[in-house]
Amino acid sequence: MDWQVLTRELSLYLESQVRVGFFGSGVGLSLVLGFGVAYACYYLNSIAKKPQLVASNDRFCRFLEEYCPVVTETYYPTIWCWEGRVQTLLRPFITSRPQVQYRNELIKTADGGQISLDWFDNNDSSYYPDAHTRPTVLLLPGLTGTSKESYILHMIHQSETLGYRCVVFNNRGIAGEELLTPRTYCAANTEDLETVIHHVHSLHPSAPFMAAGVSMGGMLLLNYLGKTGRDTPLMAAAIFSAGWNVFESIESLEKPLNWLLFNYYLTTCLQSSISRHRQILEKLFDMDLVMKLYQ
C-alpha cells in the first residue's frame, strides 16, 4: 500500500465531502485534511507492520516463510479500530456468530471427574470424505470460554472450508456441566488436556491431529507441549494471544484502566463459576475464604 496514494485519495474525498466554508475560508477543511494526512502517515509507519518471527533457528523461519506466507505480509489492522483493547471490547458487538451444530460427548477422568467435548464432525467434507483420515483440530478456548464463543465458531467455520473435523475442549464445570469432583482447572495443570488428547487420538488414530489454543487455552497447550515434547500425537499446534509471562500479565491487568475494562469482567465470570459449583467445592475448600479473594 502506497501512503502517498492513500493520502491523495483521502484529500480528494474530503474535498468533495467537506464544505470549504466550514469554520470560514477553508480553515476547517485544512484542519481535517491535515489530521487525515497525519493519521494516514502514522497508521502506515507505526501501526501497519510485518509480523516479527522469533525462532530457535533459521531453518524453522524459512519453513514458516515457505508454507505460511502470511507471516511475511504486512498486517493492516482495521483503520478505525487498530488498538488491541478497543478491538477486544468491540468484538462481541460487531462480529458475526456462524451457526455450528455440535455433537456433545462426555468423557470421564481418572479421578472421577467429567469433561465435555463438542464435536463438529464435518461429515460433508469434500476434501476428506473418509472420516478415518479426516484431519482433526482440537480447539482450546480462553478463561471461562466455551465452544459457543464467537472466535471458536469462526475457527470452526474456517476449518470447515478446509475439510477438517473439529473438537472443542470445554474445561471442567464449564459449558453448563456440573462438577463431579471438587476440582476445576488451571493453565499449569495439563492432566485433563492429556486425557482429551489421548481420547481423541484413540478415536481417529489414522487422522492428522492438530491443536489450537486461545489465551488461557494457549497457555495450557504450551505447557502440555513443553511437558510432552516429541511424545505428543499432535502433528502441529498454534497458540493465539497467550500470556507469555503470567506475572507481568497479572500486573498489567491490575492497572486501573485494564482492571476496569477486563479484570473486573474476568473476575466476575470466575466468581459466578465458583458460586455455581459451591456445594461440591466446599467439601474440600473454605469457600467463604475463597470468595473473599474476588472482593
Side-chain angles (χ1 to χ4, degrees), residues 252-269:
S252 176
L253 283 172
E254 288 296 332
K255 293 180 179 179
L257 181 58
N258 289 339
W259 183 91
L260 179 65
L261 296 177
F262 307 114
N263 209 22
Y264 176 78
Y265 172 76
L266 292 173
T267 302
T268 301
C269 290

